[in-house]
């Protein structure tokens, strides 16, 4: 007996708008196509949006230890066809049969993430039940992984955040001043981000030995009912000038800083769910990001120091409803910042 074929198609990922407590949810649409090669008695066809049952990336032992990360597993289904009790009346003839479906995904579900301490993943599964041999039931399934993403409500608060451009400065021991500026604090995965940095020597004799930018991802997860927490940090992207760079920065390595040196570089943000996750703040899990301007200097006595200037960035899903602003000012602009210093170490 030739078993029926089943294919499943969904219209993109699930994009929730607003916080979990206020999001109206998302209407997930798709279709199921069943191909019958020989007449088959079909009992039922259903489709389910659910928490992924197995981990596609980790071993089963590690997957069991880390679990899916969703305190309440999600399972939302719809029955697309139920055959009559009379087997003769539920026989499908040879051909293709198409069924459309819509499932309302609650706005309170956790976003997809693959972190060191938490894993949350979802799938859409179509299940076809037909009469099997010896009076049993034969199952045919089609599975489509689907990601759950979250974006904020658009309004004055979002406009303020999206138009907030990185512009921070700090001074180390009244000897070195660092400044990072030039990009929006809201960035998308899979794209480049151009950043600018300025190093100013407040004392004579300092030489540069390292210049670059990195994007750091930080994950925090509360465990044991919030009594304890696990934290981790990783570098999602980085870009450094090479000592013999042939560009507008040529000759920077080992050169004495006279007044100030300005640099413009490009970071390539990875696609989500590999080396980077989107910003998440849901229940016990928080995923955040920060940009670091990294500089190493050597003073007149030959003593080396490594400095990092941190500032927050938000990594969010792509959304066609808004555009990220860009900053196009020139390096000719004199850096005259004296804001409250952010963290530097």
């Amino acid at each position: 007996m030739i078993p029926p074929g089943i294919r499943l198609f969904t219209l993109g990922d699930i994009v929730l708008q607003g916080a979990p407590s206020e999001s109206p949810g998302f209407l997930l649409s798709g279709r199921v196509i069943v191909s019958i090669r020989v007449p088959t008695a079909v009992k039922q066809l259903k489709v389910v949006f659910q928490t992924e049952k197995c981990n596609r990336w980790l071993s089963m032992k590690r997957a069991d230890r880390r679990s899916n990360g969703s305190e309440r597993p999600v399972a939302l289904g719809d029955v697309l066809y139920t055959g009559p009790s009379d087997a003769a009346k539920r026989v499908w003839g040879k051909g293709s049969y198409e069924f459309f479906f819509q499932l309302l995904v609650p706005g309170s579900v956790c976003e997809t993430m693959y972190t060191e301490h938490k894993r949350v993943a979802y799938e859409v599964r179509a299940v076809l039940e037909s009469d099997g041999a010896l009076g049993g039931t034969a199952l045919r399934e089609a599975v489509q992984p689907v990601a759950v993403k979250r974006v904020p409500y658009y309004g004055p608060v979002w406009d303020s955040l999206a138009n907030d451009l990185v512009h921070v400065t700090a001074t180390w021991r009244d000897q070195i001043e660092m400044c990072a500026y030039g990009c929006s604090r809201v960035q998308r995965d899979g794209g480049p981000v151009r950043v600018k940095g300025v190093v100013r020597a407040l004392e004579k004799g300092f030489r540069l030995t390292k210049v670059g930018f990195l994007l750091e991802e930080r994950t925090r997860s509360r465990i044991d009912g919030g009594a304890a927490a696990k934290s981790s940090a990783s570098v999602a992207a980085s870009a450094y000038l090479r000592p013999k760079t042939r560009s507008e920065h040529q000759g920077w390595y080992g050169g004495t800083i006279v007044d100030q040196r300005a640099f413009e570089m490009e970071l390539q943000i990875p696609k989500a769910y590999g080396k980077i996750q989107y910003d998440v703040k849901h229940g016990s899990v928080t995923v955040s990001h920060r940009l670091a301007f990294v500089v190493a200097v050597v003073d007149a006595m030959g003593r080396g120091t490594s400095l990092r200037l941190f500032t927050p960035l938000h990594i969010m899903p792509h959304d066609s409803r808004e555009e990220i602003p860009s900053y196009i000012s020139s390096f000719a602009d004199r850096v005259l910042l004296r804001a409250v210093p952010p963290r530097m170490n």
Side-chain angles (χ1 to χ4, degrees), residues 66-145:
R66 297 182 183 184
S67 76
N68 190 279
S70 180
E71 289 79 3
R72 295 182 178 180
V74 177
L76 306 169
D78 187 20
V79 177
L80 305 181
Y81 170 82
T82 299
S85 56
D86 187 351
K89 295 182 180 180
R90 59 174 181 255
V91 174
W92 293 10
K94 182 178 178 181
S96 294
Y97 301 81
E98 187 174 32
F99 298 83
F100 294 89
F101 66 87
Q102 290 184 321
L103 298 174
L104 181 60
V105 179
S108 59
V109 301
C110 187
E111 301 95 296
T112 297
M113 71 179 81
Y114 297 88
T115 71
E116 183 177 352
H117 309 301
K118 283 287 186 177
R119 172 188 175 276
V120 181
Y122 301 96
E123 66 184 13
V124 180
R125 185 178 295 263
V127 182
L128 180 74
E129 298 183 18
S130 60
D131 289 351
L134 304 177
T137 299
L139 297 178
R140 298 288 291 177
E141 295 184 335
V143 180
Q144 178 69 50

Side-chain angles (χ1 to χ4, degrees), residues 169-284:
T169 186
T171 303
W172 175 75
R173 296 183 179 180
D174 294 326
Q175 296 176 334
I176 295 292
E177 183 182 77
M178 297 170 60
C179 176
Y181 67 107
C183 66
S184 171
R185 291 196 182 276
V186 179
Q187 295 295 328
R188 301 291 184 250
D189 64 308
V193 52
R194 294 201 66 83
V195 285
K196 302 177 181 181
V198 174
V199 183
R200 174 183 296 166
L202 304 180
E203 290 186 0
K204 295 181 179 180
F206 279 95
R207 294 178 290 111
L208 281 171
T209 58
K210 186 177 184 179
V211 175
F213 285 89
L214 62 84
L215 178 62
E216 182 183 77
E217 179 172 278
R218 308 172 75 189
T219 304
R220 181 180 176 86
S221 177
R222 296 193 303 273
I223 58 176
D224 298 331
K230 290 184 177 180
S231 300
S232 63
S234 61
V235 176
S238 62
Y240 291 95
L241 287 181
R242 296 182 178 180
K244 296 183 180 180
T245 302
R246 293 185 177 275
S247 67
E248 67 272 21
H249 306 308
Q250 187 171 358
W252 69 270
Y253 182 80
T256 302
I257 306 174
V258 179
D259 188 20
Q260 67 180 31
R261 291 296 303 265
F263 304 91
E264 182 174 2
M265 303 178 67
E266 183 175 280
L267 274 174
Q268 181 65 38
I269 302 177
K271 291 289 291 182
Y273 308 131
K275 292 185 64 176
I276 199 170
Q277 314 297 313
Y278 296 117
D279 278 28
V280 175
K281 190 174 184 181
H282 194 120
S284 62

Side-chain angles (χ1 to χ4, degrees), residues 145-174:
V146 61
V148 174
K149 306 175 181 179
R150 190 178 300 275
V151 297
Y153 277 119
Y154 296 119
V157 176
W158 165 250
D159 291 340
S160 176
L161 178 62
N163 288 281
D164 183 16
L165 303 173
V166 170
H167 208 170
V168 293
T169 186
T171 303
W172 175 75
R173 296 183 179 180
D174 294 326

